[in-house]
Amino acid sequence: TLAISDRGSGVDPASLTVTVDGNQADASYDATTGKATVALVAPSVGTHQLSVTVADFQESKNMESVPGILPNTTTFAASFTVG
């Protein structure tokens, strides 16, 4: 479970993508709690790589050709170990 928030336009749940060891994983976002849940089915013993990418509702309105506009998409990466 991961906490995800955006104080501006809000987290766009449709933009949530999660990979584990480079493979897409099922994930869902609950706007009420601000938490994303990643479904892992019997991960193997060892160290794994998690990558989460999510955008806010403003992302689709950005004009990427204009300098100085900050992207509204972020990526979180971490490793975790299953013993």
Side-chain angles (χ1 to χ4, degrees):
T1 301
L2 304 161
I4 301 175
S5 65
D6 178 79
R7 293 183 189 173
S9 62
V11 174
D12 179 359
S15 71
L16 179 65
T17 58
V18 177
T19 62
V20 176
D21 298 333
N23 299 310
Q24 188 153 352
D26 289 332
S28 60
Y29 177 74
D30 183 338
T32 304
T33 63
K35 293 184 180 179
T37 302
V38 180
L40 297 177
V41 179
S44 61
V45 172
T47 301
H48 301 275
Q49 300 302 313
L50 171 73
S51 178
V52 179
T53 302
V54 67
D56 68 7
F57 284 108
Q58 184 63 34
E59 182 65 30
S60 63
K61 298 176 184 174
N62 280 350
M63 299 180 70
E64 303 297 336
S65 62
V66 178
I69 292 183
L70 298 174
N72 295 315
T73 300
T74 192
T75 300
F76 170 79
S79 62
F80 64 94
T81 304
V82 175

